[in-house]
Amino acid sequence: MSSAEPTEAEPTEAGPTEQTGPAVRESGRAPRPAAPVPSPLPGLAESARLLADATTTSTALVADALARIEATQPTLNAFRHLRVQAALAEAAEADRRFAAGERLPLLGVPVAVKDDTDVAGLPTHFGCDGERPPAASDSEAVRRLRAAGAVVVGKTNSCELGQWPFTEGTAFGATRNPWNTAHTPGGSSGGSAAAVAAGLVPAALGSDGAGSVRIPAAWTHLVGIKPQRGRISVHPHSDAFQGLTVNGPLARTVADAALLLDVVAGAHPEDFHRPPAVRAADAARRDPGRLRIALAWRPPLTLTGAGPDPEVRRAVTALADTLARLGHHVEEARPRYGLIGLAFVPRATVGIAEFAARHPEPALLDPRTRSALRTGTRLSGRVVRAARAREVRQHRRIGALFDTSGFDVLLTPTTAAPPPRIGRFDDLSAWRTDVAMAAACPYAWPWNVLGWPGVNVPAGFTRSGLPVGAQLLGPSRSEERLIALAAQLEDDRRWFEHRPPV
């Protein structure tokens, strides 16, 4: 069903308060008179400040978010599920809590989460077609959002099982880029990216298993943080996609992304990975010092001959020049990636197979997903265990860039190409889709194999106005350094002053 089609709100275990269809207007009702579309919502920290100062109310912010989502759903199609009545009820409760003197980091602030994340009372389709039962409980990340007072207004679109750098599928249609709706916002967190870029919500959670936060952040002019593995819990999954996938924030500013990271960071008791805590918001206010930054143009081996599009290279070169002007030492270098793809492919396809095997109607899955399921099934067991065992050696080999060569940060393009047009990947076989993906997005996925952090920062625009990005990559547990550097860049380049025309 197209996300532009109206649907009735469906009752769930949580009561008749969740709108589980992908549309934003109930069917069987006369259309309401056209109302002015609310202005883009303020950022996360600004929303929290306005609420704390009693300059606005949570009810007003949430109502504006829902109205803006409804107005843009036929064109952007950012959301799969909305919580209209429940979100408004939670906003009213937040206003009562404010009046009683309660204060929390995000009390009353509307946010969105990607539809691979469990929200009690809503199904988790993860981009797939077919019926799924509503989740009985919140994921750990959503539990922490609620504990901080945030109001989850809905779940954003993702491609099927998060496999591709575009957000399109038969289950929900195509999610479109607010900067140019003929183009994809990227994937797989494309719905979250489109929602934040268009000002539908102040910030959103995505997930990143091969660049799925950083790629859509690059293609929608956002800050996207892929944190250290385990920094944000992926529970109820203990080791999502064989350790490749982490949750991460998408926001228009470094401070907002850091605030969201601080709010949702932390382990569930059953989590495998438990890195020590960081103070991301503090890092966003700290001078990074003078750093040695390696600029790498050559991606890891993908057998596609991929290199950066001239317009991507121009934008990232300009960003590197900014870093040098700010006092950092920037030098071209070549990380020793080796044959890291031989470790990535088994882990990725086995991860897809594990999720696909849970689908109650496998025939509804995209043929490319079924192909990945077959490959992942063949590579499970000894092959994937051997792939994971190589991670320690990969840490040493690629980590030599930091430990031996003395660099503090690696700078690369986030993608090799600007955002492709909607439909670019339609009707391609699984193999041709993989080749096209590898050519467009060869830079992000190695850091998922390593489990190390990275931050996408906006790098500028092509001559036709399409956003492109650069990624700041670091060694294990280096989020604070990367965030401080990103914030320094933001102070100079002020990318948050540019908004899409939606």
Side-chain angles (χ1 to χ4, degrees):
M1 175 168 50
S2 165
S3 59
E5 295 176 4
T7 62
E8 292 284 357
E10 300 172 11
T12 69
E13 292 179 359
T17 58
E18 317 290 5
Q19 182 169 341
T20 61
V24 295
R25 179 164 54 83
E26 293 183 0
S27 62
R29 305 275 182 91
R32 293 191 296 271
V37 179
S39 299
L41 267 71
L44 199 69
E46 178 67 4
S47 294
R49 185 191 67 79
L50 292 171
L51 288 165
D53 293 347
T55 304
T56 189
T57 65
S58 178
T59 298
L61 280 180
V62 170
D64 280 355
L66 293 169
R68 194 161 172 80
I69 292 166
E70 180 174 7
T72 59
Q73 189 69 1
T75 49
L76 296 184
N77 187 25
F79 280 80
R80 182 77 184 261
H81 305 291
L82 288 180
R83 306 179 64 246
V84 178
Q85 297 173 48
L88 289 170
E90 291 169 14
E93 176 62 20
D95 290 332
R96 288 190 287 272
R97 293 164 73 181
F98 267 114
E102 186 174 355
R103 296 294 183 268
L104 291 169
L106 296 182
L107 183 58
V109 178
V111 297
V113 300
K114 182 178 176 180
D115 192 30
D116 63 346
T117 304
D118 285 353
V119 175
L122 292 180
T124 302
H125 281 104
F126 202 174
C128 296
D129 206 350
E131 298 300 318
R132 303 300 296 266
S137 59
D138 291 331
S139 68
E140 178 65 13
V142 171
R143 186 194 71 78
R144 289 175 180 269
L145 277 175
R146 293 193 196 274
V151 177
V152 178
V153 297
K155 300 179 73 175
T156 57
N157 275 325
S158 163
C159 63
E160 193 167 286
L161 302 185
Q163 301 166 79
W164 306 307
F166 52 90
T167 302
E168 302 166 42
T170 57
F172 59 88
T175 297
R176 295 175 180 271
N177 196 318
W179 292 92
N180 184 326
T181 55
H183 292 258
T184 181
S188 61
S189 304
S192 287
V196 176
L200 313 186
V201 289
L205 271 184
S207 61
D208 191 315
S212 288
V213 162
R214 290 163 288 157
I215 290 166
W219 284 347
T220 58
H221 198 67
L222 297 178
V223 176
I225 300 177
K226 175 216 171 299
Q228 177 76 23
R229 185 185 297 149
R231 178 75 61 213
I232 301 173
S233 176
V234 293
H235 191 270
H237 311 291
S238 58
D239 195 40
F241 284 84
Q242 293 291 317
L244 295 177
T245 295
V246 299
N247 291 326
L250 289 139
R252 293 184 61 246
T253 69
V254 176
D256 283 353
L259 172 58
L260 187 55
L261 176 58
D262 279 342
V263 162
V264 297
H268 183 275
E270 297 176 9
D271 285 347
F272 291 165
H273 310 288
R274 297 168 172 270
V278 297
R279 299 172 65 92
D282 288 348
R285 296 187 288 267
R286 191 163 63 229
D287 189 305
R290 186 174 186 270
L291 302 176
R292 295 192 72 231
I293 299 172
L295 171 60
W297 295 112
R298 184 171 179 176
L301 180 67
T302 60
L303 302 178
T304 65
D309 178 275
E311 295 210 75
V312 171
R313 189 175 184 110
R314 173 183 56 80
V316 176
T317 297
L319 190 139
D321 291 343
T322 300
L323 288 167
R325 177 170 52 77
L326 290 170
H328 303 290
H329 174 81
V330 181
E331 177 184 338
E332 290 195 19
R334 287 175 58 177
R336 294 177 56 230
Y337 291 114
L339 298 178
I340 192 170
L342 296 180
F344 174 76
V345 171
R347 294 172 69 169
T349 54
V350 169
I352 293 167
E354 290 169 344
F355 274 82
R358 302 185 191 118
H359 197 285
E361 300 177 86
L364 295 178
L365 294 171
D366 188 292
R368 294 170 290 190
T369 302
R370 298 199 297 271
S371 175
L373 190 160
R374 292 189 294 270
T375 301
T377 301
R378 289 196 297 270
L379 298 181
S380 62
R382 185 167 56 184
V383 175
V384 77
R385 286 196 298 271
R388 298 201 67 167
R390 294 179 62 85
E391 189 176 305
V392 173
R393 280 174 286 174
Q394 290 157 348
H395 284 166
R396 286 198 299 266
R397 185 179 63 248
I398 299 173
L401 182 79
F402 307 106
D403 300 331
T404 304
S405 299
F407 289 104
D408 300 298
V409 173
L410 172 63
L411 169 68
T412 80
T414 302
T415 67
R421 295 184 72 85
I422 295 289
R424 161 70 179 83
F425 299 90
D426 286 357
D427 303 321
L428 296 182
S429 67
W431 170 252
R432 289 188 178 278
T433 299
D434 289 344
V435 170
M437 283 195 309
C441 303
Y443 291 103
W445 56 269
W447 249 242
N448 296 89
V449 176
L450 301 172
W452 294 348
V455 179
N456 175 80
V457 293
F461 298 88
T462 67
R463 289 177 176 84
S464 61
L466 294 171
V468 295
Q471 54 178 353
L472 308 173
L473 303 171
S476 180
R477 304 173 183 177
S478 58
E479 288 102 324
E480 291 189 1
R481 177 187 298 158
L482 301 177
I483 289 168
L485 181 59
Q488 184 188 49
L489 268 171
E490 180 179 87
D491 286 343
D492 185 89
R493 293 172 68 94
R494 303 187 66 80
W495 49 65
F496 52 84
E497 294 177 349
H498 301 282
R499 283 188 176 272
V502 172

